[in-house]
Amino acid sequence: MPIEQDEIEKIAALARIRVDTAQAAALGQRLTEILGMVEQLQAVDTAGVEPMAHPLDAVATLRADEVTECNRRDAFQAIAPAVEDGLYLVPKVIE
């Protein structure tokens, strides 16, 4: 199904791009080729194929979940302008 000139102009307007009339014919041909490739992909029977999470079946190596720093909350809150019950107090910004 070839893409017509007016369809290219509509798509260009929606995408907010400028397409010269000289480029429109070549662009229409290229878009028609791309849509043809998509139709070929959709025609493939994938009924018995299990979906993959990653094409290379890669496994992420995870680090051990260990605490690596000490608790310095009291030191940080000692220099804060306003703290109450372990929470930082900030000025109200929404009325």
Side-chain angles (χ1 to χ4, degrees), residues 52-76:
M52 297 186 308
H54 192 278
L56 302 177
D57 291 330
V59 178
T61 56
L62 303 176
R63 62 174 171 79
D65 190 16
E66 298 172 352
V67 176
T68 58
E69 297 183 15
C70 62
N71 182 3
R72 297 177 29 193
R73 182 177 75 171
D74 293 333
F76 292 140

Side-chain angles (χ1 to χ4, degrees), residues 1-2 4-7 15-16 19 24 43 48 50-51 53 62 74 78 80 84 86 94:
M1 171 177 132
E4 302 297 328
Q5 176 79 21
D6 60 335
E7 291 176 314
R16 301 211 191 299
V19 176
E50 182 178 336
L62 303 176
D74 293 333
E84 183 179 304
I94 299 175

Side-chain angles (χ1 to χ4, degrees), residues 8-20 23 27 31:
I8 291 189
E9 291 172 1
K10 288 179 191 177
I11 293 169
L14 289 172
R16 301 211 191 299
I17 58 175
R18 186 180 323 140
V19 176
D20 295 334
Q23 295 175 331
L27 184 60
L31 286 174

